[in-house]
Amino acid sequence: MALSLTINGEVFASRRDPMTPLIDVLREDLALTGAKAVCREGFCGACMVLIDGRPAVSCLTPIALAEGRDIRTIEGLGRDGEPTPLQQALEAQDVVQCGMCFPGMVVTLTAFLAAEPGATRDEIKRALVGNICRCTGYERIIDAALVCAAGARD
Amino acid sequence: MRNARFVCMPRSVEEAVAAVVEGGANPLAGATWILRAPLRGEALAEGYAVLGGAEDLCAVEIGEAGIRIGAAVTHAALSVALVGVEGFVGLAQAASEAANPAVREVATVGGNLCAAGFAASDLAPALIAAGAEVEIHSAAGVERQSVEAFLAARATRPPGWLMTRIFAPCSARLSAHARLPLRQAGDYPVAILSLSIERRADGAIASARVAVGSVEPVARRWPGLEQALEGQTLDPDAAAEWARARLGDFEGRDGVEAPGWYRTQVLPGLARAAFRSLRAQV
Ligand SMILES: Cc1cc2nc3c(=O)[nH]c(=O)nc-3n(C[C@H](O)[C@H](O)[C@H](O)COP(=O)(O)OP(=O)(O)OC[C@H]3O[C@@H](n4cnc5c(N)ncnc54)[C@H](O)[C@@H]3O)c2cc1C
Ligand code: FES
Ligand code: FES
């Protein structure tokens, strides 16, 4: 039996084993390669997507648990090819290095800043506990998130 | 004959019990342990019953006598439900500090207690310190046992059982949860110390329940420290010393994150941190 997955507003039928990690369907079947399968353990956050608006590690989400829910990947965040204000802030502040962690960082921060537009530096750090970056040292990512949050408040 | 894996979606506790006890399905809660089976060299099961669709497994009820936690309640939902609930500061700390935000959104209380071979559970010592009991359904019927007894027998329980609820008595006890991850947060704690105390009218400790997690393969109480604390004041440095004098009560497990000796050596520091948290609540 096929499972019905709603990804970035489009409905897909998947005939995969219901215990297949969502990340594999995204990358291998739908060519949505923004989310990365790095640790497959829930530790690094590189595979983060939004499920019903909340950050979820797609490496530990069997598609059976994603059926009928609103799945949004990094590819589905911008509008009409325009980067989001957060993506623009990250680019403007020249934060990105190798970029491996960034789709996951953006997904986590998008949901977090929407819920907590007045977040402090410490709160942003706590929100990013499940997103690991090997390159940047984090501080500039948080600077950009704070700039973005301040922009949204003004 | 089934030729493909099956996943069923029970809508009530009764349906979930039937699927697991009679239908041969394995409970599937947040899946954060199950989907890592390949990394542990384990195979996935042939069939699963998704617990999250059974509303009564996902509810936290707070009554006069105690709290009742559905086994499929997530860490995130538990920490929200416990805000301001007297006597459960330690359990709330455990639910809100374990793992990382995305994992806390999906990983459940039942999954945390039932994952066979998982030594670093935060909720296990916190629930032992809270004096909690679990309800288990199996072919033998329904049984209720302490969290500590459940954990001690977990590895030998034959398959085909479902944890449905966790009960913790309400009391005027103070509680705290101290954990040591190697990073500041996000990784498994190498050691955990959870405790709850009842105080006498003069403020001294009338009785203490202390539980240690992640040090040995299974979380358990620390009777030696519990006895030493009776009649004492809330002195963090003294608590650390009493803990240090009893480190021989544990045989730390060696693991990739830390050797066994290290896990025991950090217990005095955790006792001090837990007592500081208790003092801040007075
Ligand atoms: C990156 C990461 C970091 C983590 N850090 C921590 C941490 O610091 N502290 C901590 O405590 N935990 C931590 N965890 C969570 C922990 O390791 C387990 O993954 C989690 O608690 C399992 O819960 P689950 O609901 O996802 O269970 P599942 O994966 O769905 O199930 C786990 C096992 O329990 C069984 N099961 C589930 N529910 C029931 C039930 N009601 N009755 C009978 N059997 C049942 C399943 O069949 C399975 O065998 C972390 C997890 C990850 C991925
Ligand atoms: S790949 Fe999913 S958390 Fe690392
Ligand atoms: S930029 Fe390289 S991992 Fe974060």
Side-chain angles (χ1 to χ4, degrees):
Chain A
M1 234 186 54
L3 286 174
S4 166
L5 299 172
T6 307
I7 300 170
N8 300 331
E10 283 187 58
V11 179
F12 296 91
S14 176
R15 294 198 170 276
R16 291 253 211 165
D17 178 337
M19 293 302 285
T20 306
L22 176 60
I23 182 81
D24 293 341
V25 172
L26 296 176
R27 293 180 59 85
E28 294 165 14
D29 300 352
L30 303 173
L32 293 169
T33 53
K36 314 275 186 268
V38 176
C39 71
R40 286 187 177 271
E41 285 197 84
F43 278 101
C44 76
C47 65
M48 203 72 81
V49 299
L50 296 178
I51 301 186
D52 292 340
R54 291 178 186 259
V57 281
S58 58
C59 66
L60 298 185
T61 306
I63 53 172
L65 294 187
E67 189 179 28
R69 303 173 68 186
D70 178 35
I71 302 160
R72 209 149 280 271
T73 68
I74 185 76
E75 291 87 349
L77 291 187
R79 290 246 168 86
D80 305 323
E82 270 293 297
T84 65
L86 173 65
Q87 287 170 313
Q88 289 172 24
L90 291 164
E91 197 183 357
Q93 308 264 320
D94 196 16
V95 179
V96 186
Q97 291 194 23
C98 82
M100 191 64 141
C101 67
F102 264 83
M105 290 277 178
V106 170
V107 166
T108 299
L109 285 171
T110 298
F112 179 70
L113 293 176
E116 306 284 343
T120 62
R121 191 169 200 90
D122 268 1
E123 287 163 345
I124 294 172
K125 281 188 181 177
R126 272 200 289 277
L128 287 176
V129 160
N131 290 84
I132 294 186
C133 175
R134 288 185 181 273
C135 306
T136 65
Y138 302 99
E139 297 300 329
R140 291 173 62 193
I141 298 175
I142 295 154
D143 289 342
L146 281 166
V147 166
C148 182
R153 282 198 303 273
D154 293 342
Chain B
M1 202 185 81
R2 289 180 184 125
N3 55 8
R5 201 185 315 281
F6 71 98
V7 175
C8 63
M9 306 271 176
R11 293 284 156 206
S12 65
V13 174
E14 293 73 24
E15 283 182 25
V17 170
V20 172
V21 177
E22 292 150 33
N26 277 257
L28 174 67
T32 62
W33 182 261
I34 291 174
L35 269 206
R36 287 183 285 159
L39 298 170
R40 296 188 296 270
E42 298 167 7
L44 288 176
E46 193 193 322
Y48 287 99
V50 175
L51 304 184
E55 227 173 84
D56 17 0
L57 287 178
C58 302
V60 180
E61 288 162 52
I62 299 168
E64 297 264 294
I67 57 171
R68 200 169 88 158
I69 306 164
V73 167
T74 64
H75 286 64
L78 181 62
S79 59
V80 169
L82 291 180
V83 170
V85 181
E86 215 186 318
F88 292 104
V89 172
L91 184 57
Q93 287 172 333
S96 61
E97 290 169 11
N100 61 47
V103 171
R104 288 196 294 269
E105 278 293 328
V106 292
T108 64
V109 181
N112 199 248
L113 293 177
C114 298
F118 179 43
S121 160
D122 274 277
L123 295 180
L127 285 166
I128 292 173
E133 293 184 337
V134 294
E135 180 182 84
I136 308 283
H137 291 245
S138 69
V142 186
E143 63 187 298
R144 205 162 140 161
Q145 60 183 166
S146 71
V147 170
E148 195 184 17
F150 162 76
L151 291 172
R154 181 179 62 184
T156 53
R157 194 176 265 281
W161 54 275
L162 182 71
M163 179 182 291
T164 46
R165 298 181 182 96
I166 298 96
F167 304 90
C170 278
S171 64
R173 295 176 85 87
L174 293 178
S175 61
H177 184 79
R179 63 201 296 275
L180 181 74
L182 291 179
R183 293 167 66 215
Q184 215 168 47
D187 53 344
Y188 285 148
V190 298
I192 307 168
L193 188 143
S194 261
L195 58 80
S196 76
I197 59 158
E198 198 176 358
R199 293 198 309 152
R200 298 193 313 222
D202 66 359
I205 297 171
S207 71
R209 216 182 279 125
V210 183
V212 169
S214 201
V215 171
E216 294 182 341
V218 178
R220 66 171 172 92
R221 282 173 81 164
W222 192 352
L225 185 57
E226 290 176 354
Q227 279 153 26
L229 292 175
E230 272 173 39
Q232 307 292 347
T233 56
L234 296 186
D235 179 343
D237 291 329
E241 287 317 310
W242 294 317
R244 195 180 313 285
R246 290 165 183 81
L247 293 185
D249 294 353
F250 291 94
E251 202 171 315
R253 67 187 169 99
D254 289 327
V256 279
E257 327 86 55
W261 65 263
Y262 182 78
R263 295 182 200 273
T264 55
Q265 288 302 313
V266 298
L267 286 174
L270 290 178
R272 183 183 290 111
F275 264 67
R276 283 196 181 132
S277 170
L278 292 180
R279 272 246 292 246
Q281 295 169 42
V282 177

